[in-house]
């Protein structure tokens, strides 16, 4: 029961070994006909100290991660902040910048929390590519909807919804995430073909290129997750 009070990463790494050690000590004391009360008291005290120490370390690491992500999000926010002063018609209010900062920070924390659980470089790269592509798709679509006021463009958010549901169903396992990213790429390609743009030829060509870039990014992320899945089976 006390093992559940350790931070999850520590518990997943050492929990089984600690439980086995506890059972071995109990068996040795029982075979030696020695009382278990003293052993239980000693283990309770030592484990309690360890729980406090590991949780303190974990919170310290989490705090450092949050600080790095917050500073990184602030640095990225400087791009639209400077652009708003240089680009004509870029009239964001304070609420818009706060919203964008929250998006940057949330995306960064999501990557930090997910990627730290996996050691495979392909998995971490897949998470990074998927989050960047998803963020860029959501961002560009938000701007496009605001400019064109065309509700049909909201269908692009179904791609992001598919990714969220797929990741939840896959429980962040590489094989399931690979399938999810491939499905997102296929869905986006289907939307690009079926959704009429009504734009001039030159703009339609640019939109087709942009769709292709997003499809390629989602596909690349799926391939990275597939590589991580196959590497985990070896």
């Amino acid at each position: 029961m006390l093992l559940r009070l350790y931070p999850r990463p520590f518990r997943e790494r050492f929990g089984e070994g600690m439980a086995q050690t506890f059972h071995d000590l109990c068996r040795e004391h029982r075979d030696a006909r020695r009382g278990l009360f003293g052993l239980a008291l000693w283990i309770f005290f030592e484990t309690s100290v360890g729980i406090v120490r590991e949780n303190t370390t974990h919170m310290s690491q989490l705090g450092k991660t949050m600080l790095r992500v917050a500073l990184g999000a602030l640095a990225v926010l400087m791009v639209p902040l400077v652009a708003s002063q240089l680009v004509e018609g870029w009239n964001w209010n304070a609420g818009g910048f706060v919203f964008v900062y929250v998006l940057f920070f949330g995306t960064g924390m999501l990557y930090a929390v997910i990627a730290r659980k996996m050691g495979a470089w392909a998995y971490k790269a897949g998470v990074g590519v998927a989050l960047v592509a998803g963020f860029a798709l959501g961002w560009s679509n938000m701007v496009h909807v605001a400019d064109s006021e065309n509700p049909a463009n909201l269908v692009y958010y179904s791609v992001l919804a598919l990714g969220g549901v797929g990741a939840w169903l896959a429980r962040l396992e590489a094989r399931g995430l690979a399938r999810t990213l491939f499905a997102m790429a296929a869905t986006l390609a289907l939307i690009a073909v079926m959704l009429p743009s009504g734009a001039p030829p030159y703009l339609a060509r640019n939109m087709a290129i942009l769709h292709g870039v997003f499809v390629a990014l989602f596909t690349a992320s799926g391939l990275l997750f597939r590589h991580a899945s196959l590497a985990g089976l070896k």
Side-chain angles (χ1 to χ4, degrees), residues 146-212:
D147 291 340
S148 65
E149 298 183 354
N150 184 3
N153 290 312
L154 294 175
V155 71
Y156 287 98
Y157 288 116
S158 65
V159 178
L160 303 181
L162 175 63
V165 173
W168 178 71
L169 293 176
R171 298 183 181 275
L172 300 181
E173 293 183 358
R175 176 177 294 185
L177 289 176
R179 294 172 179 171
T180 298
L181 268 298
F182 290 146
M184 292 174 68
T187 302
L188 182 57
L190 185 62
I191 291 174
V193 172
M194 298 185 63
L195 187 66
S197 63
Y202 74 93
L203 187 56
R205 182 176 62 253
N206 293 338
M207 291 180 63
I209 294 174
L210 187 60
H211 281 106

Side-chain angles (χ1 to χ4, degrees), residues 33-91:
R33 299 183 181 278
R34 297 163 58 185
L36 296 178
F37 178 77
L39 174 65
L41 188 62
W42 171 71
I43 290 179
F44 177 81
F45 175 76
E46 185 180 38
T47 304
S48 298
V49 172
I51 289 171
V52 173
R53 182 179 63 250
E54 293 301 329
N55 277 284
T56 301
T57 302
H58 180 71
M59 292 302 296
S60 176
Q61 293 174 347
L62 182 60
K64 292 179 180 178
T65 299
M66 292 181 66
L67 179 60
R68 287 196 295 267
V69 173
L71 293 177
L74 184 61
V76 177
L77 185 65
M78 293 297 103
V79 176
L81 183 61
V82 173
S84 66
Q85 305 299 317
L86 302 177
V87 179
E88 185 178 355
W90 195 316
N91 300 317

Side-chain angles (χ1 to χ4, degrees), residues 18-39:
M18 294 175 68
Q20 184 62 47
T21 300
F22 172 75
H23 290 306
D24 291 342
L25 288 173
C26 289
R27 185 169 56 253
E28 290 177 3
H29 276 65
R30 186 172 57 251
D31 293 343
R33 299 183 181 278
R34 297 163 58 185
L36 296 178
F37 178 77
L39 174 65

